[in-house]
Amino acid sequence: MKDPDAVGNAGSAVCGDYMHVFIKVKEEDGKEIIDEISFQTFGCAAAIASSSMLTEMARGKPLEEAEKLTKMEIVDALGGLPEPKIHCSVMAADGLKEAIRVYREKKLK
Ligand code: FES
């Protein structure tokens, strides 16, 4: 994404893979909404699928709602993942939380 408002980085301690989540935020009716979201994931197919699902689930949501997305909500939306691949979905949820944290921190400066 060109000129994101914030980038969140997250990694998996289990396998060493990592990802970046890029967000653009807009204000609508006094709420901060995720206007655009994309990702760059260096990981397995489950991590890429989780990242992609995360963007579908978070786009258009207020930050307060988006940051509450959990790994299990992502896994359920994918129709499940094999147990050894659950950790791959954690990265996506963590990446978005981090992007929102970075966005808020930038706004305070
Ligand atoms: Fe590393 Fe899936 S095995 S993210």
Side-chain angles (χ1 to χ4, degrees), residues 34-70:
I34 296 185
D35 190 30
E36 288 182 46
I37 177 168
S38 64
F39 66 92
Q40 191 171 25
T41 296
F42 305 91
C44 67
I48 293 166
S50 298
S51 305
S52 179
M53 184 55 79
L54 170 81
T55 62
E56 294 302 315
M57 295 170 82
R59 188 175 292 115
K61 281 207 166 68
L63 297 186
E64 296 73 33
E65 257 183 68
E67 70 187 339
K68 288 182 191 149
L69 284 171
T70 66

Side-chain angles (χ1 to χ4, degrees), residues 1-17:
M1 179 187 295
K2 255 191 168 185
D3 303 322
D5 290 328
V7 182
N9 303 314
S12 170
V14 178
C15 64
D17 292 336

Side-chain angles (χ1 to χ4, degrees), residues 15 17 44 47 85 87-88 91:
C15 64
D17 292 336
C44 67
K85 289 290 179 184
H87 77 269
C88 311
M91 250 186 354

